[in-house]
Amino acid sequence: MNEELELRYLSRLAELYPSIAKASTEIINLQSILNLPKGTEHFITDLHGEYEAFSHVLKNGSGAVKKKIDDVFGHTLGIAEKKGLATLIYYPREKIDLIRKKEKHMDDWYRITLYRLIEVCKRVASKYTRSKVRKALPGEFAYVIEELITEKSEVLDKEAYYDSIVDTIISIGRAEEFIIALSELIQRLVIDHLHVLGDIYDRGPAPDNIMDKLMTYHSLDIQWGNHDVVWMGAAAGQQACIATVLRNSARYGNLDILEEGYGINLLPLATFAMEAYKDDPCERFDIKGSHSFTTAETAMNMKMHKAIAMIQFKLEGQLIAKRKSFHMEDRRLLDKIDYEKGTINWYGKTYQLLDCAFPTIDFQNPYRLTEEEQGVMERLETAFLQCEKLQRHMMLLLNKGNIYKVYNNNLLYHGCMPMDKHGNFKKANIYGKTYSGKALYDVLEKYVRKAFFAIDRVEKEKGKDMLWYIWIHPDSPLFGKDKMATFERYFLAEPETHAEKKNAYYRLQNDEKAMNKVLKEFGLGEDAIIVNGHVPVLHKTGESPVKCGGKVLVIDGGFSKAYQKKTGIAGYTLIYNSYGMLLVAHEPFCTTEEAIARETDIHSDQIMVKMSPRRMLVGDTDTGAALKERIDELRQLLEAYRSGLIIEK
């Protein structure tokens, strides 16, 4: 039977390579690819809606573009000229507009700039096959760019040949568009693959723009963060997730993401909030960050903030009661309040509430939505489900995303591996069955996909509710704390009530035995590396992102402006090229306008965390392993042709 299946497979392969010559050519092609340098991987995490900083880091490849400029020009260009060239590559169209206003001899500038860009382009293209470069070329200029960056041994006077091409580009008025095309090609080729380790959403002002950018990126994968998952839950119509997304947006003054970015009508919520809380200043529900709201706008936002927060607490209480297997009864807090005294029995202790105005609470049934609240949530659910742009973004998360990924001997996930204090994998109850370790990750991902794709209504509902579980549950690998103290931060003054105890994983990140156990669970050896984000590294207090002697890299350094006072920097990124792994710590990004006008780049400190003993090749990667397998299959096909088992066409 195995021989029959093998013959059937080889026959299918013969349809692609119908002769000895074609199969042999493909073997030669694949073998040559194996010996090219490994492509550069770019790791980035916890973007939290900070589109401008994300876009800039993407354009500069965390310093990779500058490195290529240095490699090409060395000491033949000054620092100012290199900065100018780098800025042009990042923002070609905008930079040309500025230069045109002050440069008197544009043709000379075009000529010099084109030659410099061609040299950089040659360097970044040198580690790829011509076929791969050809696929990356912009259609309009593909042929000409290929001519300029490909060495042509048959041309006797190469200088005159290239001069004539450049002169023609300038004379026919296409220099600016050609410069833009070359700059974007350099950006495209300098990074071979992008890893986004979660938390694209919440806090910052433009996660929708980040998602739009990722939708056009040439090669990427995404590991979901807890903030992404709660948006996925909202997009699937899970009402507790919808309320959470709105509350987070209100808290950071970013409701316009929903209204302007996704076209979701918030008027029903605003109308309800202004009526229900008209006599309530909602002082505990102020807006974080700096905003240019008027007094009236601030007052309205605070009322909307409180209105949706109370709806969230009710919906979460309903969900916890519905899903007994979640074992979260301790987080149903509305029924622990003495509404007459304004106190709460919080884990056996009595505390005074900071806000005692509860106009929408039925004291006898505190988790019941009022008729008005129910109407608001029904309209919001419909709006989220019918938002085409949001659904398109969620499909990107589903198509390119996973809860974890093993890639080139690295284990990538957003949060943690839930563990107990002894380093054993913590067991979690998922709808009556117990899971831990990799199996927990796998079953959670299965339910995420059920929320969107299940036909069975019961299974679909389980998937939707599981998205909320992943967002907030102590056993969720994307959360990793004993609780989310949202209610406490609004209503209780005592700091001990705000504390969120981290999972033991975070203490064990420097324990080699525990981390080796995690790697082994995912089929990796002790030489592999765990890369994760989620918990900001406090750089300014001396905390290092490099844990366990380099076995664990935590690359959340505070892309979100909300974290930067605490972390002291504006995010870590990681570069993994053919020479090794480079950790990059970024200072805060100014603005795109300043980056273009003053040629200010994000200042970045680089730390080599892993140096390869020799330059890594494609043959050393997962892609290389797949190519070697293909080569073996093609060799079997050759043997079948030569033995007469399969006949050439």
Side-chain angles (χ1 to χ4, degrees), residues 34-51:
L34 291 175
N35 292 287
L36 287 171
K38 172 194 174 298
T40 298
E41 297 170 55
H42 194 188
F43 300 72
I44 193 164
T45 189
D46 292 87
L47 303 168
H48 285 298
E50 298 293 346
Y51 173 72

Side-chain angles (χ1 to χ4, degrees), residues 378-395:
E378 286 172 0
R379 293 182 68 174
L380 285 170
E381 180 182 341
T382 300
F384 272 79
L385 286 170
Q386 293 182 354
C387 178
E388 189 273 335
K389 181 179 178 181
L390 179 63
Q391 296 300 328
R392 190 169 68 246
H393 286 170
M394 294 305 105
M395 284 303 109

